Amino acid sequence: MLLRQKRNKDAGGLWARLRFPRWERALRPELTLSAFAWLVILFFIVYPVSLLVIDSFRVASTGRLGFQNYKAFFSDLYYFNTFVRTCLLSALVLLTTTVLALPLAYILARYKLRGMTFFTALTLLPIVLPAYAGAFAWVVFFGRFGTFNLLLMQWGLISKPLNLLGFPGLVIMQSLHLLPFMVLSLMAAYTSIDPALEEAAEVEGASGVRRFFTITLPLSTPSYLAGAVLVFLWPFTDWLTPLIFGVTDLLPTTAYINIAYHFTDVTRRYMGIVSVVMASAVCVGAFLLLKTWVERKRYTGLSKGTLLGGRTIKPTFAVRMLSYLYVFFISAIILIIPVVLALSGFSRRWVLTPFPRYWTLENFRLIFAEAGMLIYNSFRFTGVALLMGVSFGLLVAYLLARTNAPGRAGLEFVNSLMLVFPGVAVGVAFLRAFWYGHGIPLATHWIIMPLALFVRRLPYFLRMAYAAYQQLDPSLEEAAEVAGAGKFRTFATISVPLLLKGIFVGVIMFFIMAFQEISTAIFLYRGGWETLPIGLYLNWHRGMEFGIASAMAFLMVCIVFVLLAIAARIGGGILKVAWGASGRD
């Protein structure tokens, strides 16, 4: 009897080995995880976006599919001009941001100066400062009868106010908001360059300027382009900042106005959808061109190793003073936003005076007493989205960094693509796919808000988690598996504790970006679902007192600045790796 059982067991083991070789059995969990990840992406990204694209071809008069909408878009001079002006705005914003970021990133990454940790955190502030909050502050300070013009007129330097809003002001405002993306990308490049290459140029007699333009800058090109594509595409996604500045003839602003305000006009609604698809097409096309170029142009230094933080330089006294002046100048411009919001939030009235004359806490009392639901909704929706993002982001980061599962390259591509995908497109696509009459009415339940935040802001956590994996030595995990630990136990006992720093930074970045999101949420919220950003926008849009909107914006600034300072302090290296030209061969 025992002999028969042993034979059956041996036969069963042999049959299992014949049916499932060792490599196939090891791959089955990876296949399951990859299939689950792709199901989530197909349902929450591919399906809604596909419906949006199909709708852009739907003819308003007949309901059939055709190219009439696109023909009407490019034949109408107004819509064609919106496309051209958006391209022009993107080019000017990219140029301005590059000019500001090149010296700033070099100073922060290379020079050994006191207080650079603080200035780095301050430089990164605009990345989490809502662009619309900055626009409010800019209007108050640089408006026609704002603080800047009133002071110049009082001092007799000008006789009539300068026009610092409109299109030129929009270029400056968006450049300041996008400055951290460029600075982080360039800092990642500067700190990863082999110091021996620059030292060799110095030995050959190259000056500092010549060395920068012949060695440092060419080697920084891939990382620079990683930030440049985000900067260039931002004007194709931002609709609220131009609206505040009074610039409405841009692609995203036209799309928002046509869809949100003219939903009963079928023709204009479809023109809005075409505008959204056109903006998305530009974002996708630019991303694909950049990805192809960077993959063809890789720079590698053949040396035994580089310094952990890259090369550091002790500047001369003159260079040190000039560096401090430049950093102070950029910091002062950035600090205008929170300072103006604070002054306005604590003031009762601020009209035709350089600074407020009456102070009060009434604005903040009203926020906590009457608008507490906005704060509650912001934390509730962001918290639920964060749980989704961390769970799914860790799974995808593991698949990207530690496996060769089928579809891994596609997961990386979709994640990178969502980073540049317009928030307006995500909001309209969710509204189209998950509303009544479309089979899955998720948009009628509050869960649609955190789901939209999860899809919109997932790349921020995933990039941090993936960067942490890149800094984790795989031999530590392999040692645990050799000792007999399974993959799940290895992940829980070895990987997660060593990844905590990157995970924590990713959690903070995801929370910050989801907390201030409005481009997607504005299309999906219903009565009682308003968040703090939506409440801020509604207060401004309805013409209520600016002090309340400023108090809301200042409250958001305080929250995100504390979180950003923690992230910069704990995970500065993670941030640089995440926003550099990362990739996996």
Side-chain angles (χ1 to χ4, degrees):
M1 185 72 172
L2 293 175
L3 183 60
R4 185 183 303 171
Q5 290 178 351
K6 185 175 184 303
R7 288 176 178 174
N8 292 337
K9 182 178 180 181
D10 292 342
L14 178 61
W15 174 247
R17 287 193 295 273
L18 289 174
R19 291 185 59 193
F20 302 106
R22 180 178 298 177
W23 65 268
E24 187 177 346
R25 293 199 302 274
L27 192 59
R28 277 186 293 170
E30 297 177 1
L31 286 172
T32 303
L33 295 176
S34 181
F36 171 75
W38 271 109
L39 282 176
V40 173
I41 288 175
L42 289 173
F43 184 72
F44 289 111
I45 297 177
V46 177
Y47 167 65
V49 172
S50 299
L51 291 181
L52 179 67
V53 174
I54 292 173
D55 268 358
S56 69
F57 290 97
R58 198 174 302 280
V59 182
S61 57
T62 63
R64 298 179 180 178
L65 300 181
F67 291 94
Q68 284 86 337
N69 292 337
Y70 287 90
K71 292 179 182 178
F73 181 88
F74 285 103
S75 60
D76 191 312
L77 190 59
Y78 172 78
Y79 289 110
F80 180 74
N81 283 338
T82 61
F83 180 77
V84 173
R85 280 176 63 84
T86 308
C87 293
L88 175 62
L89 176 63
S90 294
L92 292 175
V93 168
L94 177 59
L95 177 62
T96 306
T97 307
T98 301
V99 171
L100 293 175
L102 278 174
L104 181 61
Y106 194 86
I107 293 170
L108 296 177
R110 290 294 179 84
Y111 289 163
K112 202 172 180 181
L113 300 173
R114 292 181 180 272
M116 285 301 107
T117 301
F118 171 77
F119 286 118
T120 300
L122 194 59
T123 302
L124 299 181
L125 180 60
I127 200 175
V128 292
L129 253 178
Y132 46 86
F136 292 146
W138 191 272
V139 169
V140 172
F141 194 82
F142 291 105
R144 184 172 178 81
F145 291 100
T147 301
F148 185 75
N149 276 319
L150 289 175
L151 287 176
L152 290 182
M153 287 191 291
Q154 284 184 7
W155 296 337
L157 298 178
I158 59 174
S159 58
K160 50 175 143 178
L162 301 175
N163 182 18
L164 299 175
L165 299 180
F167 196 82
L170 182 60
V171 172
I172 298 174
M173 187 69 252
Q174 291 193 340
S175 299
L176 286 176
H177 178 69
L178 297 167
L179 184 63
F181 288 103
M182 192 71 77
V183 170
L184 282 172
S185 298
L186 289 172
M187 288 178 67
Y190 293 154
T191 54
S192 63
I193 294 175
D194 187 352
L197 299 175
E198 296 179 325
E199 291 167 0
E202 290 179 353
V203 170
E204 293 296 325
S207 63
V209 175
R210 185 179 180 188
R211 183 193 68 230
F212 177 79
F213 284 103
T214 58
I215 302 295
T216 307
L217 193 57
L219 292 175
S220 306
T221 303
S223 290
Y224 165 76
L225 290 176
V229 70
L230 297 177
V231 173
F232 180 81
L233 297 179
W234 174 258
F236 285 91
T237 68
D238 183 18
W239 58 269
L240 183 50
T241 306
L243 202 63
I244 296 171
F245 276 72
V247 182
T248 59
D249 50 349
L250 296 172
L251 213 53
T253 309
T254 300
Y256 170 74
I257 292 174
N258 281 8
I259 295 174
Y261 289 92
H262 300 283
F263 54 89
T264 56
D265 188 335
V266 180
T267 301
R268 293 194 64 171
R269 187 177 68 198
Y270 279 123
M271 284 294 99
I273 293 176
V274 170
S275 301
V276 171
V277 174
M278 287 297 302
S280 304
V282 172
C283 293
V284 173
F287 171 77
L288 292 177
L289 287 174
L290 170 71
K291 184 176 178 63
T292 303
W293 192 92
V294 170
E295 287 177 351
R296 292 176 56 187
K297 299 281 185 179
R298 289 194 180 275
Y299 300 94
T300 304
L302 300 177
S303 66
K304 293 182 179 179
T306 60
L307 297 176
L308 180 61
R311 187 188 186 200
T312 57
I313 301 173
K314 190 174 181 180
T316 62
F317 178 79
V319 173
R320 187 163 63 250
M321 291 298 101
L322 288 175
S323 299
Y324 273 122
L325 286 175
Y326 187 74
V327 172
F328 282 140
F329 170 72
I330 298 294
S331 301
I333 296 177
I334 293 174
L335 281 175
I336 286 176
I337 296 173
V339 169
V340 170
L341 291 176
L343 292 176
S344 182
F346 285 101
S347 65
R348 179 179 301 175
R349 193 178 66 176
W350 189 358
V351 180
L352 297 179
T353 58
F355 301 100
R357 295 181 178 177
Y358 304 97
W359 305 97
T360 182
L361 294 175
E362 186 67 15
N363 296 326
F364 290 93
R365 189 194 69 79
L366 288 174
I367 291 176
F368 288 103
E370 301 180 8
M373 183 60 67
L374 303 179
I375 302 174
Y376 170 73
N377 284 339
S378 294
F379 280 98
R380 179 173 61 137
F381 296 155
T382 304
V384 174
L386 180 62
L387 292 176
M388 298 177 184
V390 171
S391 303
F392 188 72
L394 284 176
L395 164 64
V396 176
Y398 170 76
L399 290 173
L400 295 180
R402 292 294 187 265
T403 73
N404 289 312
R408 181 183 61 83
L411 288 174
E412 184 178 6
F413 172 77
V414 172
N415 169 69
S416 301
L417 195 62
M418 289 307 297
L419 190 66
V420 299
F421 205 71
V424 175
V426 176
V428 177
F430 265 51
L431 188 64
R432 170 64 179 84
F434 302 125
W435 194 246
Y436 284 120
H438 303 298
I440 313 172
L442 283 177
T444 60
H445 303 281
W446 66 268
I447 195 64
I448 194 65
M449 298 289 283
L451 281 173
L453 297 179
F454 156 69
V455 170
R456 177 81 171 113
R457 298 307 187 185
L458 174 65
Y460 288 88
F461 175 81
L462 186 52
R463 288 178 76 97
M464 302 300 169
Y466 183 50
Y469 258 117
Q470 288 180 308
Q471 295 184 330
L472 176 62
D473 189 351
S475 62
L476 300 175
E477 298 167 313
E478 293 168 359
E481 293 181 7
V482 169
K487 286 188 177 293
F488 180 78
R489 186 178 179 186
T490 300
F491 176 76
T493 59
I494 302 296
S495 303
V496 170
L498 295 174
L499 292 171
L500 277 179
K501 179 179 177 180
I503 292 173
F504 183 69
V505 175
V507 165
I508 292 176
M509 292 302 297
F510 182 99
F511 184 90
I512 289 172
M513 302 309 294
F515 191 79
Q516 64 168 349
E517 173 62 29
I518 189 173
S519 295
T520 300
I522 196 71
F523 293 97
L524 300 172
Y525 85 95
R526 304 176 71 183
W529 297 357
E530 294 89 348
T531 60
L532 202 56
I534 294 175
L536 191 156
Y537 168 70
L538 293 178
N539 271 284
W540 167 80
H541 185 62
R542 293 168 182 169
M544 299 177 68
E545 290 190 15
F546 184 76
I548 298 176
S550 297
M552 291 181 179
F554 182 71
L555 182 62
M556 293 178 62
V557 169
C558 292
I559 294 172
V560 299
F561 183 74
V562 171
L563 294 175
L564 177 62
I566 295 173
R569 181 69 177 174
I570 295 177
I574 299 291
L575 288 170
K576 294 174 186 176
V577 173
W579 294 106
S582 60
R584 183 179 175 185
D585 295 325

